[in-house]
PDB file of all heavy atoms in Angstrom:
ATOM      1  N   SER A   1      98.800 106.140 117.535  1.00 61.00           N
ATOM      2  CA  SER A   1      98.374 104.771 117.578  1.00 61.00           C
ATOM      3  C   SER A   1      97.242 104.547 118.506  1.00 61.00           C
ATOM      4  O   SER A   1      96.706 103.400 118.604  1.00 61.00           O
ATOM      5  CB  SER A   1      99.608 103.892 117.942  1.00 61.00           C
ATOM      6  OG  SER A   1     100.177 104.353 119.170  1.00 61.00           O
ATOM      7  N   THR A   2      96.841 105.512 119.340  1.00 59.00           N
ATOM      8  CA  THR A   2      95.827 105.264 120.290  1.00 59.00           C
ATOM      9  C   THR A   2      94.434 105.089 119.646  1.00 59.00           C
ATOM     10  O   THR A   2      93.684 104.205 120.020  1.00 59.00           O
ATOM     11  CB  THR A   2      95.701 106.425 121.303  1.00 59.00           C
ATOM     12  OG1 THR A   2      95.533 107.650 120.600  1.00 59.00           O
ATOM     13  CG2 THR A   2      96.924 106.514 122.175  1.00 59.00           C
ATOM     14  N   ARG A   3      94.137 105.846 118.575  1.00 60.00           N
ATOM     15  CA  ARG A   3      92.912 105.691 117.823  1.00 60.00           C
ATOM     16  C   ARG A   3      93.259 105.823 116.367  1.00 60.00           C
ATOM     17  O   ARG A   3      93.143 106.886 115.805  1.00 60.00           O
ATOM     18  CB  ARG A   3      91.896 106.766 118.208  1.00 60.00           C
ATOM     19  CG  ARG A   3      91.396 106.627 119.635  1.00 60.00           C
ATOM     20  CD  ARG A   3      90.409 107.670 119.955  1.00 60.00           C
ATOM     21  NE  ARG A   3      91.108 108.956 120.164  1.00 60.00           N
ATOM     22  CZ  ARG A   3      90.540 110.073 120.525  1.00 60.00           C
ATOM     23  NH1 ARG A   3      89.245 110.124 120.768  1.00 60.00           N
ATOM     24  NH2 ARG A   3      91.241 111.161 120.694  1.00 60.00           N
ATOM     25  N   PRO A   4      93.747 104.721 115.780  1.00 72.00           N
ATOM     26  CA  PRO A   4      94.241 104.794 114.401  1.00 72.00           C
ATOM     27  C   PRO A   4      93.138 105.190 113.434  1.00 72.00           C
ATOM     28  O   PRO A   4      92.024 104.721 113.515  1.00 72.00           O
ATOM     29  CB  PRO A   4      94.747 103.377 114.106  1.00 72.00           C
ATOM     30  CG  PRO A   4      94.099 102.503 115.112  1.00 72.00           C
ATOM     31  CD  PRO A   4      93.792 103.373 116.280  1.00 72.00           C
ATOM     32  N   LEU A   5      93.516 106.072 112.477  1.00 83.00           N
ATOM     33  CA  LEU A   5      92.623 106.520 111.401  1.00 83.00           C
ATOM     34  C   LEU A   5      93.302 106.143 110.092  1.00 83.00           C
ATOM     35  O   LEU A   5      94.477 106.022 109.979  1.00 83.00           O
ATOM     36  CB  LEU A   5      92.380 107.991 111.482  1.00 83.00           C
ATOM     37  CG  LEU A   5      91.689 108.603 112.669  1.00 83.00           C
ATOM     38  CD1 LEU A   5      91.591 110.080 112.523  1.00 83.00           C
ATOM     39  CD2 LEU A   5      90.282 107.994 112.810  1.00 83.00           C
ATOM     40  N   SER A   6      92.443 106.094 109.054  1.00 82.00           N
ATOM     41  CA  SER A   6      92.961 105.918 107.728  1.00 82.00           C
ATOM     42  C   SER A   6      93.685 107.169 107.321  1.00 82.00           C
ATOM     43  O   SER A   6      93.492 108.227 107.899  1.00 82.00           O
ATOM     44  CB  SER A   6      91.848 105.620 106.738  1.00 82.00           C
ATOM     45  OG  SER A   6      91.027 106.831 106.617  1.00 82.00           O
ATOM     46  N   ALA A   7      94.528 107.052 106.289  1.00 82.00           N
ATOM     47  CA  ALA A   7      95.236 108.198 105.771  1.00 82.00           C
ATOM     48  C   ALA A   7      94.191 109.248 105.311  1.00 82.00           C
ATOM     49  O   ALA A   7      94.398 110.485 105.492  1.00 82.00           O
ATOM     50  CB  ALA A   7      96.142 107.791 104.597  1.00 82.00           C
ATOM     51  N   THR A   8      93.096 108.838 104.729  1.00 88.00           N
ATOM     52  CA  THR A   8      92.066 109.780 104.290  1.00 88.00           C
ATOM     53  C   THR A   8      91.437 110.443 105.457  1.00 88.00           C
ATOM     54  O   THR A   8      91.160 111.641 105.433  1.00 88.00           O
ATOM     55  CB  THR A   8      91.032 109.091 103.370  1.00 88.00           C
ATOM     56  OG1 THR A   8      91.711 108.423 102.310  1.00 88.00           O
ATOM     57  CG2 THR A   8      90.014 110.110 102.784  1.00 88.00           C
ATOM     58  N   GLY A   9      91.191 109.727 106.545  1.00 92.00           N
ATOM     59  CA  GLY A   9      90.584 110.324 107.739  1.00 92.00           C
ATOM     60  C   GLY A   9      91.508 111.434 108.289  1.00 92.00           C
ATOM     61  O   GLY A   9      91.055 112.468 108.631  1.00 92.00           O
ATOM     62  N   ILE A  10      92.803 111.125 108.350  1.00 90.00           N
ATOM     63  CA  ILE A  10      93.760 112.181 108.794  1.00 90.00           C
ATOM     64  C   ILE A  10      93.784 113.308 107.828  1.00 90.00           C
ATOM     65  O   ILE A  10      93.811 114.490 108.282  1.00 90.00           O
ATOM     66  CB  ILE A  10      95.153 111.555 108.993  1.00 90.00           C
ATOM     67  CG1 ILE A  10      95.073 110.574 110.192  1.00 90.00           C
ATOM     68  CG2 ILE A  10      96.182 112.620 109.276  1.00 90.00           C
ATOM     69  CD1 ILE A  10      96.364 109.776 110.427  1.00 90.00           C
ATOM     70  N   ALA A  11      93.730 113.064 106.547  1.00 91.00           N
ATOM     71  CA  ALA A  11      93.762 114.110 105.540  1.00 91.00           C
ATOM     72  C   ALA A  11      92.500 115.015 105.654  1.00 91.00           C
ATOM     73  O   ALA A  11      92.617 116.251 105.534  1.00 91.00           O
ATOM     74  CB  ALA A  11      93.831 113.531 104.119  1.00 91.00           C
ATOM     75  N   VAL A  12      91.359 114.398 105.981  1.00 96.00           N
ATOM     76  CA  VAL A  12      90.093 115.196 106.207  1.00 96.00           C
ATOM     77  C   VAL A  12      90.274 116.101 107.401  1.00 96.00           C
ATOM     78  O   VAL A  12      89.901 117.309 107.343  1.00 96.00           O
ATOM     79  CB  VAL A  12      88.934 114.255 106.342  1.00 96.00           C
ATOM     80  CG1 VAL A  12      87.721 115.014 106.927  1.00 96.00           C
ATOM     81  CG2 VAL A  12      88.572 113.584 105.025  1.00 96.00           C
ATOM     82  N   LEU A  13      90.822 115.601 108.476  1.00 96.00           N
ATOM     83  CA  LEU A  13      91.022 116.461 109.657  1.00 96.00           C
ATOM     84  C   LEU A  13      91.977 117.637 109.309  1.00 96.00           C
ATOM     85  O   LEU A  13      91.697 118.752 109.705  1.00 96.00           O
ATOM     86  CB  LEU A  13      91.602 115.626 110.836  1.00 96.00           C
ATOM     87  CG  LEU A  13      90.747 114.546 111.402  1.00 96.00           C
ATOM     88  CD1 LEU A  13      91.483 113.800 112.530  1.00 96.00           C
ATOM     89  CD2 LEU A  13      89.458 115.123 111.967  1.00 96.00           C
ATOM     90  N   GLY A  14      93.013 117.336 108.577  1.00 94.00           N
ATOM     91  CA  GLY A  14      93.957 118.414 108.204  1.00 94.00           C
ATOM     92  C   GLY A  14      93.336 119.418 107.277  1.00 94.00           C
ATOM     93  O   GLY A  14      93.527 120.610 107.446  1.00 94.00           O
ATOM     94  N   ARG A  15      92.468 118.966 106.363  1.00 96.00           N
ATOM     95  CA  ARG A  15      91.744 119.887 105.493  1.00 96.00           C
ATOM     96  C   ARG A  15      90.819 120.787 106.285  1.00 96.00           C
ATOM     97  O   ARG A  15      90.741 121.998 106.051  1.00 96.00           O
ATOM     98  CB  ARG A  15      91.036 119.117 104.385  1.00 96.00           C
ATOM     99  CG  ARG A  15      90.353 119.984 103.338  1.00 96.00           C
ATOM    100  CD  ARG A  15      89.845 119.168 102.151  1.00 96.00           C
ATOM    101  NE  ARG A  15      90.910 118.453 101.470  1.00 96.00           N
ATOM    102  CZ  ARG A  15      91.713 119.016 100.554  1.00 96.00           C
ATOM    103  NH1 ARG A  15      91.607 120.272 100.290  1.00 96.00           N
ATOM    104  NH2 ARG A  15      92.633 118.305  99.962  1.00 96.00           N
ATOM    105  N   LEU A  16      90.078 120.170 107.201  1.00 97.00           N
ATOM    106  CA  LEU A  16      89.168 120.966 108.030  1.00 97.00           C
ATOM    107  C   LEU A  16      89.936 121.988 108.903  1.00 97.00           C
ATOM    108  O   LEU A  16      89.487 123.102 109.070  1.00 97.00           O
ATOM    109  CB  LEU A  16      88.329 120.027 108.938  1.00 97.00           C
ATOM    110  CG  LEU A  16      87.300 119.203 108.219  1.00 97.00           C
ATOM    111  CD1 LEU A  16      86.691 118.186 109.201  1.00 97.00           C
ATOM    112  CD2 LEU A  16      86.204 120.080 107.627  1.00 97.00           C
ATOM    113  N   ARG A  17      91.140 121.596 109.358  1.00 96.00           N
ATOM    114  CA  ARG A  17      91.938 122.577 110.125  1.00 96.00           C
ATOM    115  C   ARG A  17      92.389 123.722 109.267  1.00 96.00           C
ATOM    116  O   ARG A  17      92.315 124.868 109.641  1.00 96.00           O
ATOM    117  CB  ARG A  17      93.165 121.887 110.711  1.00 96.00           C
ATOM    118  CG  ARG A  17      94.102 122.899 111.436  1.00 96.00           C
ATOM    119  CD  ARG A  17      95.422 122.345 111.706  1.00 96.00           C
ATOM    120  NE  ARG A  17      95.471 121.721 112.991  1.00 96.00           N
ATOM    121  CZ  ARG A  17      96.487 120.949 113.438  1.00 96.00           C
ATOM    122  NH1 ARG A  17      97.514 120.718 112.658  1.00 96.00           N
ATOM    123  NH2 ARG A  17      96.479 120.418 114.647  1.00 96.00           N
ATOM    124  N   ARG A  18      92.819 123.450 108.001  1.00 94.00           N
ATOM    125  CA  ARG A  18      93.356 124.496 107.119  1.00 94.00           C
ATOM    126  C   ARG A  18      92.247 125.363 106.564  1.00 94.00           C
ATOM    127  O   ARG A  18      92.372 126.543 106.408  1.00 94.00           O
ATOM    128  CB  ARG A  18      94.090 123.815 105.941  1.00 94.00           C
ATOM    129  CG  ARG A  18      95.450 123.294 106.278  1.00 94.00           C
ATOM    130  CD  ARG A  18      96.191 122.878 105.045  1.00 94.00           C
ATOM    131  NE  ARG A  18      95.436 122.033 104.126  1.00 94.00           N
ATOM    132  CZ  ARG A  18      95.321 120.673 104.266  1.00 94.00           C
ATOM    133  NH1 ARG A  18      95.888 120.088 105.275  1.00 94.00           N
ATOM    134  NH2 ARG A  18      94.613 119.989 103.428  1.00 94.00           N
ATOM    135  N   GLU A  19      91.104 124.738 106.157  1.00 95.00           N
ATOM    136  CA  GLU A  19      90.115 125.405 105.366  1.00 95.00           C
ATOM    137  C   GLU A  19      88.818 125.717 106.101  1.00 95.00           C
ATOM    138  O   GLU A  19      87.964 126.449 105.626  1.00 95.00           O
ATOM    139  CB  GLU A  19      89.769 124.589 104.120  1.00 95.00           C
ATOM    140  CG  GLU A  19      91.032 124.396 103.229  1.00 95.00           C
ATOM    141  CD  GLU A  19      90.805 123.477 102.020  1.00 95.00           C
ATOM    142  OE1 GLU A  19      89.615 123.176 101.755  1.00 95.00           O
ATOM    143  OE2 GLU A  19      91.768 123.116 101.357  1.00 95.00           O
ATOM    144  N   GLY A  20      88.685 125.177 107.285  1.00 96.00           N
ATOM    145  CA  GLY A  20      87.466 125.446 108.109  1.00 96.00           C
ATOM    146  C   GLY A  20      86.349 124.529 107.718  1.00 96.00           C
ATOM    147  O   GLY A  20      86.476 123.601 106.901  1.00 96.00           O
ATOM    148  N   PRO A  21      85.155 124.688 108.345  1.00 97.00           N
ATOM    149  CA  PRO A  21      84.016 123.846 108.101  1.00 97.00           C
ATOM    150  C   PRO A  21      83.648 123.821 106.614  1.00 97.00           C
ATOM    151  O   PRO A  21      83.728 124.827 105.911  1.00 97.00           O
ATOM    152  CB  PRO A  21      82.880 124.439 108.900  1.00 97.00           C
ATOM    153  CG  PRO A  21      83.591 125.254 109.959  1.00 97.00           C
ATOM    154  CD  PRO A  21      84.864 125.751 109.325  1.00 97.00           C
ATOM    155  N   THR A  22      83.248 122.655 106.173  1.00 96.00           N
ATOM    156  CA  THR A  22      82.892 122.541 104.739  1.00 96.00           C
ATOM    157  C   THR A  22      81.890 121.387 104.584  1.00 96.00           C
ATOM    158  O   THR A  22      81.656 120.621 105.529  1.00 96.00           O
ATOM    159  CB  THR A  22      84.108 122.291 103.861  1.00 96.00           C
ATOM    160  OG1 THR A  22      83.794 122.400 102.517  1.00 96.00           O
ATOM    161  CG2 THR A  22      84.752 120.938 104.105  1.00 96.00           C
ATOM    162  N   THR A  23      81.318 121.303 103.380  1.00 95.00           N
ATOM    163  CA  THR A  23      80.321 120.209 103.148  1.00 95.00           C
ATOM    164  C   THR A  23      80.993 118.881 102.926  1.00 95.00           C
ATOM    165  O   THR A  23      82.147 118.802 102.518  1.00 95.00           O
ATOM    166  CB  THR A  23      79.494 120.539 101.883  1.00 95.00           C
ATOM    167  OG1 THR A  23      80.351 120.546 100.773  1.00 95.00           O
ATOM    168  CG2 THR A  23      78.754 121.859 102.006  1.00 95.00           C
ATOM    169  N   LEU A  24      80.259 117.865 103.204  1.00 93.00           N
ATOM    170  CA  LEU A  24      80.718 116.479 102.959  1.00 93.00           C
ATOM    171  C   LEU A  24      81.032 116.290 101.474  1.00 93.00           C
ATOM    172  O   LEU A  24      82.026 115.689 101.136  1.00 93.00           O
ATOM    173  CB  LEU A  24      79.542 115.560 103.441  1.00 93.00           C
ATOM    174  CG  LEU A  24      79.983 114.094 103.592  1.00 93.00           C
ATOM    175  CD1 LEU A  24      79.193 113.515 104.752  1.00 93.00           C
ATOM    176  CD2 LEU A  24      79.654 113.324 102.333  1.00 93.00           C
ATOM    177  N   GLN A  25      80.198 116.898 100.627  1.00 93.00           N
ATOM    178  CA  GLN A  25      80.441 116.760  99.191  1.00 93.00           C
ATOM    179  C   GLN A  25      81.771 117.348  98.748  1.00 93.00           C
ATOM    180  O   GLN A  25      82.465 116.787  97.919  1.00 93.00           O
ATOM    181  CB  GLN A  25      79.249 117.349  98.401  1.00 93.00           C
ATOM    182  CG  GLN A  25      77.927 116.670  98.523  1.00 93.00           C
ATOM    183  CD  GLN A  25      77.175 117.003  99.819  1.00 93.00           C
ATOM    184  OE1 GLN A  25      77.671 117.776 100.680  1.00 93.00           O
ATOM    185  NE2 GLN A  25      75.963 116.489  99.888  1.00 93.00           N
ATOM    186  N   SER A  26      82.074 118.508  99.288  1.00 95.00           N
ATOM    187  CA  SER A  26      83.342 119.149  98.884  1.00 95.00           C
ATOM    188  C   SER A  26      84.522 118.434  99.466  1.00 95.00           C
ATOM    189  O   SER A  26      85.572 118.358  98.842  1.00 95.00           O
ATOM    190  CB  SER A  26      83.345 120.662  99.185  1.00 95.00           C
ATOM    191  OG  SER A  26      83.307 120.850 100.597  1.00 95.00           O
ATOM    192  N   LEU A  27      84.362 117.813 100.644  1.00 96.00           N
ATOM    193  CA  LEU A  27      85.438 116.993 101.179  1.00 96.00           C
ATOM    194  C   LEU A  27      85.629 115.780 100.331  1.00 96.00           C
ATOM    195  O   LEU A  27      86.808 115.430 100.031  1.00 96.00           O
ATOM    196  CB  LEU A  27      85.107 116.523 102.607  1.00 96.00           C
ATOM    197  CG  LEU A  27      85.195 117.550 103.726  1.00 96.00           C
ATOM    198  CD1 LEU A  27      84.607 117.013 105.034  1.00 96.00           C
ATOM    199  CD2 LEU A  27      86.661 117.954 103.905  1.00 96.00           C
ATOM    200  N   ALA A  28      84.586 115.124  99.812  1.00 96.00           N
ATOM    201  CA  ALA A  28      84.756 113.983  98.942  1.00 96.00           C
ATOM    202  C   ALA A  28      85.452 114.360  97.666  1.00 96.00           C
ATOM    203  O   ALA A  28      86.376 113.684  97.247  1.00 96.00           O
ATOM    204  CB  ALA A  28      83.339 113.405  98.631  1.00 96.00           C
ATOM    205  N   ALA A  29      85.096 115.488  97.114  1.00 95.00           N
ATOM    206  CA  ALA A  29      85.696 115.947  95.820  1.00 95.00           C
ATOM    207  C   ALA A  29      87.204 116.274  96.104  1.00 95.00           C
ATOM    208  O   ALA A  29      88.063 115.832  95.304  1.00 95.00           O
ATOM    209  CB  ALA A  29      85.005 117.165  95.300  1.00 95.00           C
ATOM    210  N   ALA A  30      87.492 116.926  97.209  1.00 94.00           N
ATOM    211  CA  ALA A  30      88.867 117.329  97.492  1.00 94.00           C
ATOM    212  C   ALA A  30      89.754 116.125  97.773  1.00 94.00           C
ATOM    213  O   ALA A  30      90.945 116.142  97.377  1.00 94.00           O
ATOM    214  CB  ALA A  30      88.873 118.268  98.677  1.00 94.00           C
ATOM    215  N   GLU A  31      89.230 115.074  98.345  1.00 93.00           N
ATOM    216  CA  GLU A  31      90.043 113.914  98.699  1.00 93.00           C
ATOM    217  C   GLU A  31      89.884 112.810  97.672  1.00 93.00           C
ATOM    218  O   GLU A  31      90.390 111.695  97.832  1.00 93.00           O
ATOM    219  CB  GLU A  31      89.567 113.369 100.078  1.00 93.00           C
ATOM    220  CG  GLU A  31      89.908 114.294 101.213  1.00 93.00           C
ATOM    221  CD  GLU A  31      91.381 114.708 101.366  1.00 93.00           C
ATOM    222  OE1 GLU A  31      92.219 113.795 101.043  1.00 93.00           O
ATOM    223  OE2 GLU A  31      91.669 115.813 101.749  1.00 93.00           O
TER     224      GLU A  31
END
């Protein structure tokens, strides 16, 4: 609750943690 993010924002962080650095375009497609 200190810095609330959208569900998609949290999902993006999780995806970057699991899959490593990636392009903005592939993040958009994945989400």
Side-chain angles (χ1 to χ4, degrees):
S1 55
T2 54
R3 292 180 287 185
L5 294 180
S6 69
T8 306
I10 291 173
V12 166
L13 294 178
R15 185 170 298 281
L16 290 171
R17 177 195 268 169
R18 286 188 311 277
E19 300 176 9
T22 190
T23 64
L24 195 143
Q25 292 82 355
S26 64
L27 284 170
E31 295 300 327

